Amino acid sequence: MSALIFEKSAPGRRGYTLPKPTAAEQACRLRIPARYFADAPPELPEVSELDVVRHFTNLSHRNFCVDGQFYPLGSCTMKYNPKINEHVAALDGFSSLHPLLPQLRGGGMLTQGALEVLYQTERWLCEICGMDAFSLQPMAGAHGELTGIMLIAAYHRAQGHRKTKVLVPDSAHGTNPSSAAIAGYEVVSIPSGADGEMDFARFEAALGDDVAAVMLTCPNTAGLFNPRIHELADRVHAHDALLYYDGANLNALLGRCRPGDLGFDVMHLNLHKTFSTPHGGGGPGAGPVGVKARLIPFLPTSVIIKRQDGTLALEYDRAQSIGYVAPFYGNFAIIVRAYTYLLMLGREGLRKVSANAVLNANYVQARLRAHYDLPYDRRCMHECVFSAARQAAQGVHALDIAKALIDRGLHPPTVYFPLIVKEALMIEPTETESKEDLDRFIDAMIEIAAQAERDPASFADLPRTTPVSRVDERKAARDMRFTA
Ligand SMILES: *Cc1c(COP(=O)(O)O)cnc(C)c1O
């Protein structure tokens, strides 16, 4: 572990020295009442500028990031975030805008450019997803889910229908049942079948007129595309329930098929996943919500409209809106990054994203299938899910495999998710990795599988190469007292 910056402090060492106050500044100081002055100087570390730069530069290198290494964290789509996104979001015209600047022509045209970015992004997302409208306001996927379920509730309320249940397959991301529960619904979990899909018979049995929505991820968290999706959508609609699309896995479908055409009515996207804005460490993100026409009246306040003279404005006066879900218009700088990404890739570029994302995942699946158990032996989409059950039988669990990868400087896949796979290893390589980098990861996974067979005990104290080695996770959970 490296020393704290306070431990590097040497009495009298200075990063900066300020000139002595002038007579005028001195006079000014005398006018400030004495009670506002501290009794003693603040207890700051006494270090040079170089000490500070080295300290924080070295710490920053301990941060794992996609700019440094392969990051196959399944379901999270840790693709490379092109630097041009950062450049555009930092342009003065965007970064210096105040959200309260007037939007309308009479009040000035200062925000028309920003509104154009929002308007155009919404139009593109509609086209990509087959939806009729988008709201860019929600600030994360989970926030988009909650917004989407609130839209569904508002829709049924307006129809005078009382519906109390939301169906969610047991392979779903945990945010799906939580969002439905927070919105006030009873969540019914539908088990998955042997093929990794929601069990159709159990789904049909649970479907009734009290069901408001069915939330699906497609391809699902096992990376599998549901071949019965149209049939499923028809059943849902026959009960006047709505089909919700968790769009976290859209990277698999970009430019090829559209949730709206598959029968979905409401969806969210994760701009920080599919549309390459940075994430990890908790945000910031953006989780736009897309809807079919019949849900438009309920969209959150405000909505961007194009007026007859061609100018854009935010409209706040909407009688049936679910109201505010975010201040102003969401995470604007994230939306600018996604806009840049869309503009840069265009139609053909987006199709290449999904082509390469799916190709890379299938390449990983094909090369690792002899070494790890494959619970669903099907062609995968943008991610592949293995099980470490074979290794676990030797005492080497998915967590140990993750630690062994960390020891080799590689980020582990998502482990123990989806919950339907025991000892799950969920690998999402994304489209931005080269074959050489995929091979390096695959070779490490093969080596680890061999090590698990040969010497399972060697995993016990991994990782050894990191600043913090194996922590006692049991103690960390049970004994929260801080000890130095
Ligand atoms: C990431 C993810 C979510 C939640 O998105 P956040 O932006 O992290 O809130 C929901 N569903 C799936 C399948 C995900 O991978």
Side-chain angles (χ1 to χ4, degrees):
M1 290 279 277
S2 59
L4 300 177
I5 192 147
F6 286 90
E7 292 167 326
K8 292 180 179 164
S9 179
R13 189 168 295 164
R14 290 282 175 270
Y16 289 97
T17 46
L18 299 175
K20 289 230 150 36
T22 61
E25 284 164 349
Q26 194 65 30
C28 201
R29 186 179 190 279
L30 288 175
R31 286 205 297 274
I32 300 172
R35 65 177 184 281
Y36 292 129
F37 287 98
D39 301 331
E43 289 181 37
L44 295 174
E46 298 183 75
V47 284
S48 68
E49 180 174 328
L50 179 57
D51 290 336
V52 174
V53 168
R54 284 206 179 132
H55 182 75
F56 288 106
T57 302
N58 289 330
L59 279 183
S60 74
H61 289 166
R62 300 200 163 164
N63 206 4
F64 196 98
C65 56
V66 75
D67 285 356
Q69 290 291 343
F70 182 45
Y71 205 148
L73 191 66
S75 212
C76 296
T77 315
M78 305 304 288
K79 63 171 75 177
Y80 172 65
N81 312 131
K83 294 294 167 268
I84 188 171
N85 296 354
E86 301 305 310
H87 176 74
V88 173
L91 289 176
D92 216 32
F94 292 130
S95 61
S96 302
L97 269 187
H98 193 284
L100 287 178
L101 280 170
Q103 288 136 17
L104 307 179
R105 189 189 274 282
M109 296 286 282
L110 293 172
T111 57
Q112 285 297 306
L115 290 176
E116 179 70 29
V117 168
L118 297 172
Y119 184 79
Q120 191 55 52
T121 304
E122 282 184 9
R123 297 322 309 154
W124 284 336
L125 295 181
C126 283
E127 188 183 337
I128 291 166
C129 298
M131 291 285 151
D132 295 316
F134 256 92
S135 166
L136 304 177
Q137 297 190 33
M139 295 192 172
H143 193 196
E145 288 172 31
L146 177 62
T147 305
I149 298 295
M150 287 165 67
L151 292 171
I152 291 171
Y155 167 79
H156 287 308
R157 214 179 299 125
Q159 308 265 305
H161 294 161
R162 196 179 130 66
K163 289 170 175 277
T164 55
K165 290 181 184 162
V166 171
L167 310 188
V168 183
D170 63 355
S171 59
H173 195 267
T175 50
N176 290 189
S178 338
S179 300
I182 292 170
Y185 287 103
E186 180 193 336
V187 178
V188 181
S189 175
I190 311 293
S192 301
D195 58 355
E197 302 293 352
M198 177 165 76
D199 185 309
F200 207 89
R202 310 275 290 264
F203 152 72
E204 275 195 301
L207 200 57
D209 290 338
D210 55 353
V211 171
V214 179
M215 297 180 85
L216 283 187
T217 314
C218 185
N220 70 5
T221 58
L224 305 170
F225 188 88
N226 192 328
R228 298 179 76 175
I229 189 67
H230 284 298
E231 203 182 336
L232 202 149
D234 288 344
R235 305 291 159 91
V236 170
H237 292 145
H239 289 273
D240 191 34
L242 297 179
L243 195 54
Y244 183 91
Y245 184 79
D246 177 335
N249 291 347
L250 195 77
N251 219 40
L253 304 187
L254 279 179
R256 286 165 197 282
C257 86
R258 313 192 303 168
D261 299 337
L262 294 177
F264 288 93
D265 305 287
V266 189
M267 65 177 293
H268 80 264
L269 289 169
N270 306 61
L271 295 188
H272 43 291
K273 294 180 180 173
T274 315
F275 298 97
S276 91
T277 76
H279 65 307
V289 168
V291 295
K292 288 284 181 61
R294 54 190 167 150
L295 287 139
I296 290 177
F298 311 103
L299 283 176
T301 320
S302 55
V303 167
I304 298 184
I305 52 160
K306 191 170 229 161
R307 293 160 359 136
Q308 281 193 337
D309 62 359
T311 57
L312 298 165
L314 294 176
E315 192 181 69
Y316 295 87
D317 188 16
R318 297 172 61 83
Q320 288 184 288
S321 168
I322 60 166
Y324 286 93
V325 301
F328 301 108
Y329 210 77
N331 271 332
F332 178 66
I334 294 295
I335 298 162
V336 174
R337 287 173 172 88
Y339 171 84
T340 308
Y341 182 71
L342 285 167
L343 203 56
M344 181 176 69
L345 287 182
R347 203 179 293 262
E348 277 315 304
L350 285 180
R351 287 172 60 79
K352 281 189 188 153
V353 166
S354 51
N356 289 330
V358 172
L359 180 64
N360 281 356
N362 279 281
Y363 178 68
V364 173
Q365 192 200 54
R367 276 205 63 201
L368 285 180
R369 60 183 302 141
H371 308 274
Y372 293 88
D373 290 351
L374 192 58
Y376 309 113
D377 196 355
R378 293 167 53 187
R379 173 88 58 90
C380 68
M381 296 293 284
H382 66 303
E383 60 197 352
C384 56
V385 178
F386 284 97
S387 162
R390 200 187 311 174
Q391 289 74 24
Q394 309 286 318
V396 178
H397 293 270
L399 184 72
D400 300 307
I401 292 167
K403 303 290 188 194
L405 283 166
I406 293 171
D407 201 51
R408 288 164 166 79
L410 292 162
H411 200 286
T414 294
V415 292
Y416 302 112
F417 180 78
L419 302 177
I420 55 171
V421 175
K422 274 211 176 69
E423 299 284 343
L425 297 164
M426 181 197 216
I427 306 167
E428 182 179 11
T430 83
E431 73 282 5
T432 54
E433 297 299 324
S434 65
K435 179 168 179 299
E436 291 81 357
D437 283 324
L438 293 181
D439 281 332
R440 250 191 296 282
F441 169 77
I442 293 166
D443 291 344
M445 287 291 286
I446 294 173
E447 231 176 81
I448 290 167
Q451 186 186 337
E453 207 144 284
R454 199 178 56 241
D455 187 9
S458 64
F459 286 79
D461 63 343
L462 294 182
R464 295 194 205 100
T465 59
T466 47
V468 178
S469 54
R470 188 75 158 228
V471 292
D472 183 342
E473 290 182 20
R474 193 179 164 279
K475 188 170 179 345
R478 295 279 166 89
D479 181 3
M480 309 271 274
R481 280 169 305 176
F482 175 78
T483 43

